[in-house]
Amino acid sequence: MAKASTTRINKIAVRMYKGGTGDCFLLQFKKGSRVSFNMMIDCGFIHGGKAQFEKVAGDIQDKTGGVIDLLVVTHEHADHINGFDKAKHFFDAFTFKKVWFAWTENDEDAIANDYRKNRSEVSKALNVAVSRLQSLDKGQYYEKILKDEMNSGLMIAGKKKFIHSLSSLNELNFLKASAGQPLPTMVEKFKEFLVIKPDTDVDLLEPGDVRSGLAGAPGIRFYVLGPPKDYNLLNETENEEDNYEQRESPSRKDFAFLSALDATSVTDQSAKLPFDSEYELDNRSNALRNKYEKEGDWRKIDYDWLYSAGSLAMRYERSINNTSLALAIQFEGSERVLLFPADAELGNWKSWHMGLKWPVKIKGDLVKKDISYLLEKTVFYKVGHHLSHNGTATHLGLDLMTSDELTAMATLDFKKINDGWLNTMPNDLLSAELLKKCRGKLFVNGDHLKILANMKTDRVTIKKTNETAMKKLNEKFKNEIFLECEIEG
């Protein structure tokens, strides 16, 4: 046994960086006390600045010597990748041996290209809507048209809040489509970031894939869970049966209107339209349009259609979450699993249960196992989408994580967060269940006392012992720019 522990990886140190709501992880695979493999997963924070990313990059450089054996880029949202842009000069000096992306970044995959083309059109429409709304705000349009209305101050404040929230949501979409051009792939973008060099090994992964035998990581298997290669699943973000019920009240008082926006999945074409197609005016209807608009400014619909950009933005953001590259990392000997689903929402989680099986070597025999096996063996869970109600599936997810050794990390920080997210993060029901299953072993990269206070609502009960355990665990890293735990193999 002693000999085996020196030749195989027997522990993984997981370091989660602070800096805002967003993901940045360093995993160090160890043989005994010696690090033999460095793995990064994402590097981004909402509203993250250059200085803080340089601190993070500096710490990673100190820990790794600037050599990353494997970088996993989960999806394109800014809170997962903007650090590579902000600290580009820092990361240029790193050596990234391998970089993994999801199949959605494969420019030779017909489904990926079609999906990216559709997202390009939605992206351009959303950018136009946001730009026009910001222009109206800047020109004091609402102050002029609402000045004589009852409660005009409240109405103006509401319009401004909507525009601010929509703009913040659109900023998440780091990849922008320019006129006449499709969205770039993230492979292209990471070449611009100077992460991918000519000798970097780039791999585009599909659900059901397995990677093992990586140099420096003997005895470790990587299972690819998602994203699914199915439009319907990519667009399915939540349902009442498989997700936690939303909060009854925001995490703090906030005038965010995003929570009221419709986030129902729609077809690709209708996602681009401000109205249902049956209400569209075609070119033959110009006479009607002109008559309607001559009746007075108050009857114009020139700007009202822009408010449907809210539901468009929500659908767009959530479908991108579902393109998350979701991985399970397993120690071959003990079969223990570390689960990293990034921001996967329901369609991604659901797809893992739809006929996928992975080859697992148990006591010398190769057998096929499904997701229930991997979830049952999970001892570490990177909580999906910042403790939101639809970032973790219920009976398709957390209910199946039955290990009494479960530890979890969640990337949530109230200091840097989009306002609209305060209506959903942290979800109280999910938080209470996690604390119960982890026995308080829940790390958060923001102020743990404030986050813990916001987990407590009238509809949940959190045991004092679990609350105390969480406080003690997080307090240890109060003055650090990271939190860390070690998972034994």
Side-chain angles (χ1 to χ4, degrees):
M1 290 297 292
K3 185 177 180 181
S5 68
T6 61
T7 57
R8 283 190 174 195
I9 299 297
N10 66 331
K11 63 182 71 172
I12 299 175
V14 182
R15 180 168 288 202
M16 173 176 65
Y17 285 94
K18 300 177 183 179
T21 302
D23 283 20
C24 183
F25 289 87
L26 173 66
L27 280 63
Q28 295 197 295
F29 296 56
K30 299 181 179 181
K31 298 177 182 179
S33 60
R34 183 177 68 85
V35 175
S36 66
F37 190 86
N38 292 308
M39 175 180 179
M40 268 185 75
I41 302 177
D42 292 338
C43 185
F45 302 120
I46 285 292
H47 312 307
K50 180 180 177 181
Q52 78 183 96
F53 282 119
E54 287 180 345
K55 286 183 182 178
V56 168
D59 186 79
I60 294 173
Q61 188 173 51
D62 290 343
K63 290 289 289 181
T64 66
V67 177
I68 303 298
D69 297 283
L70 173 62
L71 169 64
V72 174
V73 183
T74 62
H75 64 298
E76 69 189 60
H77 275 153
D79 61 320
H80 289 254
I81 66 172
N82 62 359
F84 294 106
D85 182 42
K86 298 288 179 67
K88 186 188 301 184
H89 65 289
F90 231 108
F91 285 119
D92 182 29
F94 278 52
T95 297
F96 293 95
K97 294 182 179 180
K98 292 180 182 292
V99 183
W100 288 355
F101 299 95
W103 63 269
T104 48
E105 307 309 315
N106 186 355
D107 61 5
E108 295 181 0
D109 186 301
I111 300 174
N113 287 337
D114 186 50
Y115 190 68
R116 190 162 51 256
K117 179 182 177 182
N118 177 64
R119 291 202 341 263
S120 297
E121 294 175 17
V122 176
S123 172
K124 283 181 276 192
L126 187 56
N127 288 335
V128 168
V130 169
S131 177
R132 290 182 67 180
L133 283 167
Q134 289 174 335
S135 178
L136 292 176
D137 185 27
K138 188 176 180 180
Q140 296 193 311
Y141 171 77
Y142 300 108
E143 285 85 348
K144 295 171 186 174
I145 67 166
L146 297 173
K147 64 180 180 179
D148 296 326
E149 298 289 335
M150 186 179 296
N151 296 321
S152 62
L154 186 63
M155 294 172 70
I156 292 167
K159 297 289 188 183
K160 287 178 176 290
K161 185 61 185 182
F162 174 85
I163 295 169
H164 170 73
S165 296
L166 184 62
S167 300
S168 296
L169 197 59
N170 195 40
E171 286 172 8
L172 266 181
N173 304 316
F174 197 87
L175 303 186
K176 302 292 186 183
S178 54
Q181 297 294 323
L183 284 168
T185 67
M186 286 213 290
V187 177
E188 296 173 77
K189 205 68 186 173
F190 273 72
K191 288 178 181 177
E192 290 180 21
F193 291 158
L194 308 177
V195 167
I196 296 177
K197 308 269 197 321
D199 58 347
T200 304
D201 179 16
V202 176
D203 205 355
L204 302 160
L205 306 179
E206 300 195 3
D209 283 350
V210 181
R211 297 292 182 269
S212 61
L214 274 62
I220 298 293
R221 291 182 288 239
F222 300 85
Y223 299 106
V224 183
L225 312 181
K229 301 193 79 170
D230 183 304
Y231 282 110
N232 293 325
L233 291 170
L234 287 171
N235 287 324
E236 186 173 1
T237 61
E238 62 183 278
N239 66 40
E240 292 181 1
E241 181 183 351
D242 301 308
N243 283 122
Y244 291 91
E245 186 181 348
Q246 291 197 48
R247 292 181 65 102
E248 293 180 334
S249 59
S251 295
R252 66 178 191 218
K253 286 189 177 180
D254 184 78
F255 201 58
F257 288 163
L258 281 182
S259 62
L261 294 173
D262 173 32
T264 307
S265 297
V266 293
T267 64
D268 293 341
Q269 287 302 315
S270 65
K272 305 167 194 170
L273 301 175
F275 304 111
D276 288 339
S277 57
E278 62 185 290
Y279 299 113
E280 287 183 86
L281 295 175
D282 58 29
N283 292 331
R284 292 169 295 176
S285 305
N286 283 335
L288 174 61
R289 187 194 308 272
N290 293 335
K291 182 179 186 305
Y292 186 90
E293 293 184 348
K294 285 178 182 177
E295 295 296 325
D297 286 348
W298 69 276
R299 294 192 67 173
K300 286 188 178 182
I301 61 171
D302 297 19
Y303 304 130
D304 284 348
W305 74 269
L306 293 170
Y307 300 111
S308 67
S311 55
L312 172 67
M314 292 290 280
R315 290 194 292 270
Y316 185 45
E317 184 234 338
R318 289 177 170 182
S319 69
I320 292 174
N321 282 340
N322 264 339
T323 66
S324 290
L325 177 57
L327 296 174
I329 305 169
Q330 186 177 51
F331 294 97
E332 287 182 1
S334 65
E335 302 173 52
R336 290 155 67 86
V337 167
L338 291 79
L339 180 64
F340 286 86
D343 283 358
E345 297 192 5
L346 181 60
N348 201 321
W349 285 82
K350 195 174 183 179
S351 70
W352 310 346
H353 296 262
M354 300 177 73
L356 282 179
K357 290 192 175 182
W358 297 267
V360 179
K361 204 168 189 178
I362 302 176
K363 296 179 181 179
D365 295 325
L366 197 64
V367 295
K368 290 288 188 80
K369 291 288 189 178
D370 63 15
I371 189 60
S372 299
Y373 160 81
L374 292 174
L375 293 174
E376 178 189 339
K377 296 293 183 180
T378 295
V379 295
F380 175 90
Y381 173 42
K382 198 295 291 189
V383 184
H385 200 230
H386 324 298
L387 282 165
S388 68
H389 72 286
N390 60 345
T392 300
T394 51
H395 69 275
L396 296 176
L398 191 57
D399 289 354
L400 298 176
M401 299 181 208
T402 54
S403 172
D404 58 8
E405 298 178 69
L406 187 64
T407 296
M409 283 184 168
T411 55
L412 176 62
D413 185 349
F414 286 153
K415 287 183 179 178
K416 290 190 177 181
I417 185 172
N418 278 345
D419 290 349
W421 289 0
L422 292 167
N423 282 20
T424 61
M425 302 171 186
N427 180 264
D428 50 344
L429 300 175
L430 167 61
S431 299
E433 185 64 17
L434 268 173
L435 284 169
K436 178 182 175 183
K437 280 182 171 283
C438 295
R439 300 177 186 178
K441 299 194 299 292
L442 173 61
F443 296 84
V444 291
N445 67 349
D447 185 328
H448 64 282
L449 296 178
K450 287 184 179 179
I451 292 171
L452 182 57
N454 277 282
M455 292 175 174
K456 298 177 183 178
T457 65
D458 292 341
R459 60 182 188 170
V460 301
T461 301
I462 296 175
K463 288 178 65 174
K464 192 69 177 177
T465 53
N466 293 336
E467 182 180 337
T468 301
M470 179 183 170
K471 287 179 179 177
K472 185 177 179 180
L473 202 64
N474 285 268
E475 188 71 26
K476 180 180 175 182
F477 299 95
K478 185 176 181 179
N479 298 316
E480 303 286 355
I481 64 166
F482 61 86
L483 302 99
E484 188 173 71
C485 69
E486 204 165 69
I487 305 301
E488 297 284 343

